[in-house]
Amino acid sequence: MDRHAGLDVPDPAPGEFLSRGYQGAVYLRGAGADRRVIKQAMGGRIARVVRSAMLRREFAAYERVGGLPGIPRCFGLQPDGSLALEFVAGEPYRENSSALKDRDRFFQQFKERILALHALGVAHADLKRRGNLLISPEGAPILLDFGSAVIRNPDGSFWNRFLFRQACRMDLNAWVKLKYRRRYDLLSPEDQQHYRPTALEDAARVVRRAWRKVTVRHVRKAWRLRRQARRDQPR
Ligand SMILES: Nc1ncnc2c1ncn2[C@@H]1O[C@H](COP(=O)(O)OP(=O)(O)O)[C@@H](O)[C@H]1O
Ligand SMILES: [Mg+2]
């Protein structure tokens, strides 16, 4: 893949704003078949350095898996460090998952896509975030955002192989979480084999629970539930 292909004429206008996330800002540029998603590192100096590194990692992941179905085409890193991707016309999974016509098929394809990535040496590592998933017009999954991907090196160190294995587990755990909507008690025996929380995920869960306990959100929720219960009480 040509590192700087796709946008031969640099467009000084950032384009239509799409979203702001971990890696900076996402813009839409161009029209029709030339429509591109531009991911640009933003923020202060340190944030920009980190985000630019994530964009380079994302580019490396796309280089490895380019051509797989369900993944946008990548047009490379631009001279300013931004990343250009094919715009995929999909619906955000977050808001549309309940309207999926064939949920089983969606999750079967989703798993196949994850396993195809792993076979090429790329683990996504951020699939729990529903914003990284779109639903195509045909109802198939589109995987986005490879900024946290773990890429297996052919002559990788012990550490690289370890991280890759952990990230592969995280991908399948995310698949289980989304498929069963956290109802882990409903897992089929076949899917049970895919759910193996890593030590990192276990630790994150403990922190998350503790955090919920100490935050105002937790207090507010309890207060709201109490108020609702009082309202529902027979008079
Ligand atoms: N190739 C794409 N096609 C269509 N929409 C996209 C594409 N890439 C990103 N988006 C939209 O932009 C949002 C943020 O993109 P993402 O790659 O997840 O960036 P971030 O690293 O900031 O989370 C996504 O949730 C999606 O709505
Ligand atoms: Mg994202």
Side-chain angles (χ1 to χ4, degrees):
M1 191 188 302
D2 181 351
R3 216 170 145 77
H4 293 144
L7 289 178
D8 298 327
V9 186
D11 185 348
E16 181 192 330
F17 178 77
L18 202 60
S19 113
R20 184 181 294 274
Y22 282 90
Q23 279 167 267
V26 181
Y27 296 98
L28 263 183
R29 206 181 276 173
D34 292 329
R35 202 154 207 214
R36 302 278 185 263
V37 166
I38 307 293
K39 293 185 72 172
Q40 208 155 44
M42 310 284 271
R45 217 165 46 169
I46 294 175
R48 261 216 311 274
V49 167
V50 173
R51 287 167 168 165
S52 298
M54 289 178 82
L55 289 180
R56 287 197 298 278
R57 171 178 295 264
E58 181 157 15
F59 171 64
Y62 277 115
E63 269 200 313
R64 193 62 91 82
V65 301
L68 280 185
I71 287 156
R73 278 169 65 207
C74 178
F75 296 101
L77 286 169
Q78 306 306 297
D80 66 355
S82 61
L83 185 71
L85 300 170
E86 167 196 12
F87 171 75
V88 185
E91 301 287 339
Y93 175 85
R94 187 193 301 277
E95 286 90 27
N96 297 281
S97 62
S98 51
L100 271 174
K101 285 202 185 75
D102 192 341
R103 220 170 171 273
D104 286 345
R105 188 161 149 264
F106 178 89
F107 277 96
Q108 181 57 33
Q109 286 178 325
F110 188 9
K111 186 170 80 177
E112 281 163 15
R113 279 168 195 180
I114 292 173
L115 295 176
L117 286 177
H118 294 177
L120 291 174
V122 172
H124 186 287
D126 200 14
L127 288 175
K128 276 196 178 135
R129 212 177 294 281
R130 289 173 298 167
N132 294 336
L133 199 53
L134 298 179
I135 305 173
S136 80
E138 295 77 34
I142 310 286
L143 279 57
L144 302 173
D145 196 355
F146 286 78
S148 316
V150 178
I151 301 172
R152 190 185 58 210
N153 300 325
D155 49 356
S157 59
F158 169 81
W159 185 236
N160 174 254
R161 279 177 283 138
F162 172 76
L163 277 183
F164 179 70
R165 277 200 307 273
Q166 297 286 300
C168 288
R169 273 170 64 176
M170 284 165 67
D171 285 352
L172 288 167
N173 293 339
W175 176 79
V176 167
K177 176 191 157 194
L178 295 178
K179 178 173 175 183
Y180 288 91
R181 303 182 179 104
R182 291 178 194 261
R183 288 295 310 271
Y184 297 108
D185 52 321
L186 299 180
L187 258 68
S188 72
E190 195 202 334
D191 289 346
Q192 192 81 53
Q193 60 169 332
H194 297 309
Y195 185 60
R196 292 190 299 143
T198 62
L200 188 69
E201 287 170 306
D202 283 340
R205 192 171 310 122
V206 171
V207 172
R208 209 166 38 238
R209 278 193 195 140
W211 178 246
R212 265 194 228 127
K213 271 198 187 122
V214 297
T215 54
V216 178
R217 190 171 136 237
H218 173 74
V219 176
R220 272 211 310 265
K221 188 174 171 194
W223 181 68
R224 204 173 51 240
L225 287 176
R226 255 203 319 273
R227 216 172 48 164
Q228 194 175 343
R230 234 180 283 139
R231 227 184 293 131
D232 294 344
Q233 254 172 21
R235 284 161 205 271

